[in-house]
Amino acid sequence: MYGKQLPIVDVTRPAPAGASAGSATPGKHATFEYLTTRKDELVGWARKFSLFPYPFVTACCAMEFMAVSASNYDTDRFGAALPRFSPRQADLLMVVGTVTQKQAPILLKVYEQMCEPKWVMAFGVCATSGGFYQNYASLPGIDRIIPVDIYVPGCPPRPEMVIDGIMRLQEKIANGRHPIINDRF
Amino acid sequence: MTATVFTQLEQSLLQSLQVPAPPDADEALPLSPERPVRSLGVQHGILVLELLPEALVRVARGLRDDFGFDLFLDVTAVDWPDRTPRFDVVYHFYSTTHHVRIRLKVRVHQAADATAPDVRPEVETLTGLYGSAGYMERECHDMYGIVFRGNADLRPILLYEGFVGHPLRKDYPKQQEQPLVPYRPPQSALVR
Ligand code: SF4
């Protein structure tokens, strides 16, 4: 049936006589004949299972990032398996570790190079708020310079927390609006 | 065993460097370039030698050439805001043949601002003796503003161009940030 063009059914009109609802004639009204959905739901469903993370990995949280992407915990199960090492190919920026003031322009540049749609995860307490570093060197949370969608606390966070974060982000994507054209694109 | 090494080292150090033993506490002899050792002793398993800055390069060269301290580990500083001279510059050396460490300390001035505003804490560079001194002196200059006379490249290494002040000095405000990227205004978590 995949090669065949499916008939377009106009759901606003009453069904034609002889094809009353519930008694579909085989051959003419096959399974998947029509699909009703909201565009946002469809796009969100597609996007939430195809996250391509860009790991911006700077400090000790990197160890936990490796643990969470390796086979024990395996972010592949959430469609977020394949790290892209070019921000242009990624749509999830995972900021893993301490970001210093000196690195902030680099982080901002990486974020700006990513194409829409894009999401940002602050992985660990350093990326979230600077953690216990409150001094001349470190940025007190990456949300001072870029918007953040999901914060995962912990120093470092447990892999379960990261997976919970990914699932909540997926929820956010699935329930979000996905305008084809928005103010930033 | 280490203790005997240190005792021998102490003795031969003083002889070979031709410096007299440090003055006793009751003997109020002033320090001078000929008499540069302020104190000598073992602290925390390391031989510690406190010197006048004038003797630093001479002693460091003697340690490298005659005592096998061939690895320059570290240079850092200690800020004593209420003391004059204000800074200790601290050097660590390691001998890969004898497996011992030695620490050298020199005191350097931060001159009083009103009288001599241009005088900065200065000490002679060790880049002539150890190539690795270049980077470590750059870091020490970043953090404490110690000027290493003769080190031509004291650009920021851990900090960035445009950073004002020296963050590890005691008078640098603890939480003062100098962001390179302007901060976004605070936003509600619901607004992206
Ligand atoms: S949150 Fe903890 S583990 Fe993660 S980068 Fe900061 S200090 Fe390291």
Side-chain angles (χ1 to χ4, degrees):
Chain A
M1 81 175 238
Y2 292 110
K4 213 169 70 181
Q5 194 168 3
L6 296 172
I8 295 168
V9 175
D10 189 350
V11 291
T12 57
R13 293 210 190 139
S20 61
S23 69
T25 322
K28 201 178 172 200
H29 297 282
T31 339
F32 291 127
E33 183 180 281
Y34 60 83
L35 184 68
T36 55
T37 181
R38 280 166 53 233
K39 179 218 48 167
D40 279 349
E41 255 170 54
L42 181 65
V43 175
W45 175 82
R47 282 181 175 169
K48 81 173 189 178
F49 288 123
S50 64
L51 292 169
F52 281 66
Y54 175 90
F56 190 90
V57 177
T58 52
C60 19
C61 269
M63 301 299 132
E64 216 60 29
F65 178 76
M66 292 173 202
V68 77
S69 17
S71 45
N72 263 13
Y73 294 97
D74 197 9
T75 47
D76 201 356
R77 297 177 290 149
F78 305 92
L82 196 62
R84 308 306 304 199
F85 294 105
S86 161
R88 293 174 208 280
Q89 299 168 346
D91 52 11
L92 171 60
L93 176 62
M94 291 176 95
V95 183
V96 180
T98 326
V99 179
T100 57
Q101 300 284 5
K102 198 174 175 179
Q103 255 175 336
I106 304 168
L107 178 62
L108 184 64
K109 191 169 198 172
V110 165
Y111 178 77
E112 283 171 350
Q113 282 175 341
M114 290 171 66
C115 296
E116 290 282 347
K118 55 188 170 188
W119 298 277
V120 180
M121 172 190 275
F123 185 122
V125 86
C126 280
T128 302
S129 67
F132 41 75
Y133 301 117
Q134 296 201 336
N135 53 23
Y136 66 97
S138 59
L139 187 69
I142 57 166
D143 55 0
R144 299 296 172 103
I145 56 169
I146 57 176
V148 175
D149 292 278
I150 194 98
Y151 298 86
V152 181
C155 175
R158 291 279 311 164
E160 291 89 340
M161 297 166 74
V162 181
I163 287 173
D164 189 45
I166 293 178
M167 286 163 66
R168 276 163 198 261
L169 179 65
Q170 287 181 325
E171 213 171 281
K172 181 172 178 176
I173 296 171
N175 297 332
R177 291 198 58 242
H178 297 274
I180 301 299
I181 295 187
N182 64 19
D183 54 334
R184 281 168 289 143
F185 174 66
Chain B
M1 195 221 106
T2 324
T4 37
V5 175
F6 279 143
T7 328
Q8 288 168 8
L9 194 62
E10 252 175 65
Q11 291 312 317
S12 47
L13 201 61
L14 293 181
Q15 284 165 16
S16 134
L17 300 173
Q18 286 151 18
V19 287
D24 292 336
D26 47 321
E27 189 188 352
L29 267 180
L31 295 172
S32 68
E34 292 76 43
R35 210 182 162 77
V37 180
R38 189 187 295 277
S39 70
L40 176 67
V42 179
Q43 289 173 6
H44 304 291
I46 300 182
L47 187 61
V48 182
L49 189 59
E50 218 181 325
L51 294 172
L52 282 191
E54 291 83 0
L56 174 72
V57 177
R58 180 158 63 93
V59 171
R61 176 172 289 120
L63 286 175
R64 186 191 66 167
D65 295 343
D66 306 336
F67 291 88
F69 284 97
D70 46 2
L71 184 61
F72 180 37
L73 290 178
D74 181 28
V75 50
T76 183
V78 184
D79 184 4
W80 303 96
D82 301 328
R83 195 189 73 180
T84 333
R86 179 170 163 190
F87 295 97
D88 274 345
V89 181
V90 185
Y91 299 81
H92 289 103
F93 302 91
Y94 183 70
S95 161
T96 52
T97 41
H98 307 303
H99 306 294
V100 282
R101 279 157 217 265
I102 190 167
R103 177 187 299 151
L104 299 189
K105 284 184 177 182
V106 298
R107 297 183 176 191
V108 293
H109 270 284
Q110 167 82 335
D113 288 338
T115 51
D118 296 338
V119 180
R120 299 169 297 176
E122 277 198 350
V123 71
E124 207 61 48
T125 180
L126 291 190
T127 42
L129 298 176
Y130 298 93
S132 57
Y135 290 123
M136 296 192 269
E137 290 178 352
R138 263 172 86 180
E139 184 193 342
C140 189
H141 177 252
D142 263 8
M143 295 298 164
Y144 293 94
I146 310 284
V147 175
F148 292 88
R149 223 179 301 117
N151 186 338
D153 180 15
L154 286 178
R155 286 172 301 146
I157 181 168
L158 293 183
L159 299 178
Y160 33 91
E161 292 291 345
F163 193 96
V164 180
H166 302 286
L168 293 195
R169 285 193 181 181
K170 292 282 193 315
D171 53 8
Y172 186 88
K174 209 167 37 179
Q175 300 192 331
Q176 182 174 318
E177 295 154 8
Q178 302 191 21
L180 287 176
V181 177
Y183 287 168
R184 305 160 70 226
Q187 309 201 351
S188 149
L190 300 174
V191 182
R192 190 173 175 225

